[in-house]
Amino acid sequence: MIEFITPRTFLFSTQTVVFSVLLFVFYIFYRTFSRKYVKYWLMSIGALNLSYLIKSLVPYSSRNFSSDSWQILAELLLQICQYSFLIFLVFGVYIAKKNKELSKEILTSGIAVIVILSVISTMFFAFDPSQAFNHFYLTISLPSFIFGCTFLSLACYLLFDKKSYFSSQVLMYFSAIFGLRYLMHSFISIVALTEPWFRQLELFLLYFDVAAHSILGFTLLIWMQGAERFATLSAISRAQYLGKHDSLTGALNREQVMAKLSDKMQELTHANKINKNQVKLAVFLIDIKQFKFINDTYGLKVGDYILGEIASRLNHSVFIPQAVGRLSGDSFMFVIEFEQSSHVDRAVNHIHELIERCFRYEQQEITIQGSIGYCFYPDDADKSEDLLQKANLALHHAETNNIASVAFEEGMQAQGRHLVLMEKQLRSAIANDEFILYYQPQLNLFTNKLEGVEALVRWQHPEKGLLSPGDFLTELETLGMHNEFDNYILAKACQASERWFKLYQRRVAIAVNITAVEFQNEQLVTNIQMLLHKYGIPSKYIELEITENVVMTDITRAMDSIVKLQSMGIKVSIDDFGTGYSSLAYLRDLPIDKIKIDRSFINEVAINDSDLTIVKSMIDLSHGLGKRVLAEGVETIDQLNLLRHLGCDAVQGYFISKPLPESKLVRYLKKK
């Protein structure tokens, strides 16, 4: 067998070993990093390696097998390998540049073209000795032409690619030279096939290809190593960027905006010592109103888009901000320099204009509003954290009082300290169960029997005694403890209902007031279901009262919540009806059970014709829409008789009974 091994066979065998090692390196690289383009280069190098293996075996095999079929099969496999090497190389370069996977359709089409082209070029004229030249053109000249055009196209693609680096340029030059080599060979093989020097040229090109393929393999290795190094550097840069910027909006994060504010303060302190003109800083805190409503209504993608757009608008403001940062959620910081107070006024108006300008997302137009609190350096503080705190106090004052913009004032600090103290006391009161419920009976005017009770909260303060809601509800709302407090009161009402049934075998409907924030809470229905199940209370004995203004804030969501509650058997009533806006217009659409007429209309209903007309209209309209009516604040017999005459369903007020502690409500519960 040794005598059959020619120098060419030895060369091809050596290349097979070399490319097997290279193939193993590519495989390890792909297993480690799982890059898509490496997978295609792995297949390209594998096809090239297989072609060298076939070339090394064919000369020896041809001496042992006389059948031409073996030669044709080997030639077919060789054609498939060479075309596969080419197409997978190009696919890999494309994926490495574009960083996206090829579709299955493209991949399947490419493989189909390879097989068809290989079969045509190999089988045509293969069995007719008189067509040897034509067969040579199909198996040698045509592939050379295709290779030449493909490599030159690849070189042009790399030449005009904007992301060019060393290994990319090496591959570009390689492709250009290799493309010219194949085109030249294709042309010469047609016009000079019978020339004596053509055999010498083919021998030269044989060694040229071996060297070129080795260079190509190592060029691809350099590309992969460079790509991983670039990816590592990009990841480091990205991590450094995210360490300083908010990932969603691109604005500075809290830590960095505070650091930048501190640096700017030091810079101004030094500059103001030298210059006569005293430059100051205005620190604005911006909060988006009802941003949760935006997320719930339009979706999180729209919410993220709006946050990013706000950051962009602030960064590109004509006031040239010194710092723009996203502190949390929908809260932004905006810092500018100014010399005259009039500049601040214009800046405030400008910020509102930026936020209120219409946002457009996929043919949706969204308009929002913001609240602004701001303070000044060095007038209000000389430390960045103190400036943030005071701007936050001003923002809180703006949101609490529904004011668009508020500048910090000294009194706000005392209010802030008061809120801190109150929060501690309120949380302690909930933990120690210091809140108690008083119950005001509601009289059914048709049966003259107890219809239900309204639960009214009181605080049994360990030092101040019994406090009414006016002494702590404002702080509860300001501190954002609505959800926690409402759930706590609902639980106490359910506990009382369970207790009354065990002691007196009596079920009485308890009406509980729900705040605006809790009524917008998606977990409200779930929480009530859990409480009813826990204490074994039929749903008809719990009634929720919501103020008219809660409904008007978002009538669509209000209707959805009411429908869900009613499907559970829970009654929903509108409290303080008539004090909101567009009351009668919305009454038609609301799926509520009961209307509670506000006490302001009852006070003079017996002596004021206007109030009488209004109350009568409310009762008639409510009955016409199938809703029951309860009048609040009944304090005289005349009011009671008049309401009975007008057809009012139920009343409550001091004439019936004042709010009673549970110990005094017993006399009502014992009556059946």
Side-chain angles (χ1 to χ4, degrees):
M1 184 171 60
I2 296 297
E3 64 270 18
F4 297 138
I5 300 179
T6 64
R8 180 176 298 190
T9 302
F10 180 78
L11 177 63
F12 291 147
S13 300
T14 303
Q15 281 297 97
T16 302
V17 174
V18 171
F19 276 94
S20 296
V21 175
L22 193 62
L23 191 64
F24 177 74
V25 174
F26 271 74
Y27 174 74
I28 296 299
F29 197 96
Y30 176 68
R31 284 286 302 271
T32 304
F33 299 104
S34 299
R35 305 298 185 197
K36 297 294 184 182
Y37 68 93
V38 177
K39 177 178 70 175
Y40 287 95
W41 285 350
L42 180 65
M43 290 188 288
S44 177
I45 296 298
L48 183 62
N49 188 40
L50 184 57
S51 70
Y52 274 116
L53 178 63
I54 293 172
K55 290 177 183 178
S56 65
L57 294 177
V58 166
Y60 172 75
S61 301
S62 62
R63 297 173 184 269
N64 291 273
F65 297 95
S66 58
S67 174
D68 291 337
S69 299
W70 170 257
Q71 294 291 335
I72 294 173
L73 177 61
E75 199 171 78
L76 175 61
L77 291 175
L78 187 61
Q79 292 284 336
I80 292 175
C81 289
Q82 289 177 339
Y83 283 123
S84 298
F85 155 72
L86 179 65
I87 196 168
F88 286 126
L89 173 66
V90 173
F91 283 168
V93 173
Y94 176 80
I95 294 171
K97 286 293 183 180
K98 296 296 183 180
N99 195 27
K100 61 180 182 180
E101 180 64 281
L102 290 173
S103 65
K104 290 183 178 180
E105 291 77 10
I106 294 177
L107 188 59
T108 304
S109 300
I111 295 174
V113 169
I114 289 174
V115 174
I116 293 172
L117 193 60
S118 299
V119 170
I120 291 175
S121 60
T122 305
M123 297 301 177
F124 276 27
F125 310 116
F127 302 99
D128 188 354
S130 64
Q131 299 293 333
F133 284 104
N134 290 331
H135 183 67
F136 176 85
Y137 295 143
L138 282 178
T139 55
I140 303 298
S141 302
L142 178 61
S144 293
F145 178 77
I146 293 174
F147 270 61
C149 292
T150 304
F151 273 111
L152 286 177
S153 299
L154 180 60
C156 292
Y157 173 73
L158 295 172
L159 175 64
F160 294 106
D161 183 63
K162 295 180 180 179
K163 298 179 181 178
S164 181
Y165 34 88
F166 174 72
S167 55
S168 176
Q169 292 178 345
V170 172
L171 185 59
M172 178 191 69
Y173 291 125
F174 173 88
S175 299
I177 295 172
F178 223 39
L180 291 174
R181 167 255 186 266
Y182 276 110
L183 283 180
M184 180 191 70
H185 179 257
S186 176
F187 175 75
I188 294 176
S189 65
I190 295 174
V191 300
L193 177 61
T194 57
E195 296 294 330
W197 49 266
F198 182 76
R199 295 297 178 187
Q200 299 297 323
L201 176 63
E202 281 204 317
L203 183 61
F204 169 77
L205 291 178
L206 173 66
Y207 288 96
F208 177 86
D209 289 348
V210 168
H213 288 152
S214 300
I215 294 173
L216 174 62
F218 287 105
T219 300
L220 297 182
L221 274 179
I222 295 171
W223 181 309
M224 292 189 300
Q225 291 177 342
E228 289 308 314
R229 181 174 177 274
F230 177 77
T232 302
L233 293 176
S234 297
I236 294 173
S237 300
R238 179 67 176 168
Q240 292 174 343
Y241 176 85
L242 292 178
K244 297 181 179 180
H245 295 80
D246 173 56
S247 59
L248 178 62
T249 64
L252 294 174
N253 59 27
R254 178 191 175 96
E255 180 182 350
Q256 290 301 312
V257 76
M258 295 302 291
K260 193 168 185 178
L261 177 59
S262 298
D263 293 342
K264 195 63 187 178
M265 290 162 60
Q266 293 179 0
E267 181 183 325
L268 282 185
T269 301
H270 179 71
N272 287 338
K273 291 179 181 179
I274 302 173
N275 301 326
K276 294 182 179 180
N277 295 331
Q278 296 296 300
V279 180
K280 301 179 181 181
L281 290 177
V283 179
F284 300 90
L285 277 189
I286 307 162
D287 199 57
I288 309 304
K289 291 184 178 180
Q290 295 183 334
F291 188 72
K292 186 178 185 299
F293 171 76
I294 298 293
N295 278 333
D296 293 343
T297 304
Y298 298 99
L300 295 177
K301 285 187 177 180
V302 176
D304 292 346
Y305 163 76
I306 289 176
L307 291 176
E309 185 65 19
I310 290 173
S312 176
R313 292 180 183 183
L314 293 175
N315 271 310
H316 294 90
S317 167
V318 294
F319 278 81
I320 311 176
Q322 301 302 307
V324 173
R326 182 186 178 210
L327 302 184
S328 63
D330 56 347
S331 180
F332 291 86
M333 178 185 281
F334 183 79
V335 183
I336 63 168
E337 292 182 348
F338 73 98
E339 296 181 13
Q340 301 176 2
S341 58
S342 59
H343 294 166
V344 177
D345 296 333
R346 289 199 294 271
V348 169
N349 293 331
H350 172 68
I351 294 172
H352 279 298
E353 289 173 359
L354 290 180
I355 294 173
E356 294 172 8
R357 191 195 311 158
C358 184
F359 295 86
R360 291 181 173 83
Y361 183 87
E362 294 183 353
Q363 299 180 346
Q364 296 183 95
E365 293 188 355
I366 305 161
T367 303
I368 62 175
Q369 292 181 325
S371 300
I372 301 175
Y374 57 98
C375 62
F376 307 112
Y377 169 79
D379 297 351
D380 295 321
D382 56 3
K383 293 182 179 179
S384 59
E385 288 294 338
D386 292 341
L387 285 170
L388 176 61
Q389 178 191 3
K390 292 182 177 181
N392 193 46
L393 285 171
L395 175 62
H396 178 73
H397 188 82
E399 292 178 325
T400 303
N401 296 280
N402 198 25
I403 304 173
S405 312
V406 173
F408 171 77
E409 296 177 0
E410 285 301 327
M412 294 177 184
Q413 242 175 334
Q415 182 185 7
R417 286 193 291 269
H418 168 70
L419 287 174
V420 171
L421 179 61
M422 279 296 295
E423 181 178 12
K424 183 178 180 181
Q425 292 181 354
L426 287 168
R427 294 195 181 280
S428 175
I430 294 175
N432 297 328
D433 199 23
E434 294 175 6
F435 292 99
I436 60 176
L437 294 182
Y438 273 51
Y439 304 92
Q440 187 167 30
Q442 298 171 337
L443 178 68
N444 187 306
L445 292 180
F446 294 98
T447 63
N448 284 325
K449 292 183 179 180
L450 180 69
E451 178 172 292
V453 294
E454 180 180 3
L456 302 168
V457 66
R458 302 289 187 267
W459 184 1
Q460 189 64 58
H461 198 283
E463 298 174 359
K464 301 177 182 179
L466 194 65
L467 300 180
S468 65
D471 296 322
F472 57 85
L473 281 186
T474 302
E475 284 82 357
L476 268 170
E477 293 178 3
T478 302
L479 291 167
M481 296 175 62
H482 322 78
N483 293 354
E484 180 181 356
F485 188 73
D486 281 351
N487 287 329
Y488 169 74
I489 297 302
L490 276 169
K492 288 187 74 68
C494 291
Q495 291 167 7
S497 180
E498 179 191 37
R499 187 165 54 249
W500 297 344
F501 184 73
K502 288 181 178 179
L503 293 175
Y504 310 110
Q505 295 300 304
R506 180 80 182 275
R507 293 286 190 188
V508 177
I510 302 177
V512 181
N513 287 280
I514 296 296
T515 60
V517 174
E518 177 63 11
F519 193 71
Q520 304 297 329
N521 184 4
E522 296 179 354
Q523 296 298 317
L524 174 64
V525 176
T526 303
N527 292 339
I528 293 177
Q529 285 178 324
M530 292 174 61
L531 288 172
L532 294 178
H533 178 73
K534 180 178 180 181
Y535 297 104
I537 302 171
S539 56
K540 65 180 181 179
Y541 292 108
I542 290 294
E543 181 179 311
L544 300 183
E545 293 186 359
I546 55 177
T547 62
E548 184 181 356
N549 288 334
V550 173
V551 178
M552 302 312 165
T553 302
D554 183 2
I555 188 169
T556 303
R557 175 171 291 189
M559 291 178 67
D560 290 341
S561 298
I562 292 172
V563 169
K564 290 179 182 178
L565 291 168
Q566 287 181 330
S567 67
M568 295 168 52
I570 296 174
K571 291 182 171 58
V572 180
S573 62
I574 296 291
D575 197 12
D576 301 333
F577 186 77
T579 59
Y581 47 89
S582 304
S583 306
L584 300 180
Y586 280 102
L587 181 60
R588 176 189 60 193
D589 299 324
L590 292 173
I592 49 143
D593 301 285
K594 186 191 295 183
I595 301 295
K596 295 186 70 174
I597 300 176
D598 186 67
R599 66 181 63 250
S600 62
F601 296 100
I602 305 302
N603 288 339
E604 299 182 2
V605 69
I607 58 175
N608 188 311
D609 290 341
S610 296
D611 284 352
L612 175 61
T613 302
I614 291 173
V615 171
K616 184 178 185 305
S617 299
M618 287 181 179
I619 294 173
D620 291 342
L621 180 61
S622 299
H623 285 166
L625 294 172
K627 305 177 192 305
R628 302 184 75 250
V629 181
L630 182 147
E632 298 179 295
V634 177
E635 299 181 355
T636 67
I637 186 64
D638 293 335
Q639 293 172 347
L640 178 65
N641 290 333
L642 182 59
L643 289 166
R644 191 190 302 271
H645 176 73
L646 292 175
C648 188
D649 298 291
V651 294
Q652 73 179 74
Y654 279 21
F655 182 76
I656 309 301
S657 174
K658 294 181 179 181
L660 302 172
E662 186 174 332
S663 59
K664 293 185 178 181
L665 187 68
V666 172
R667 60 189 178 94
Y668 288 96
L669 298 176
K670 288 181 178 179
K671 296 179 181 178
K672 296 187 179 180

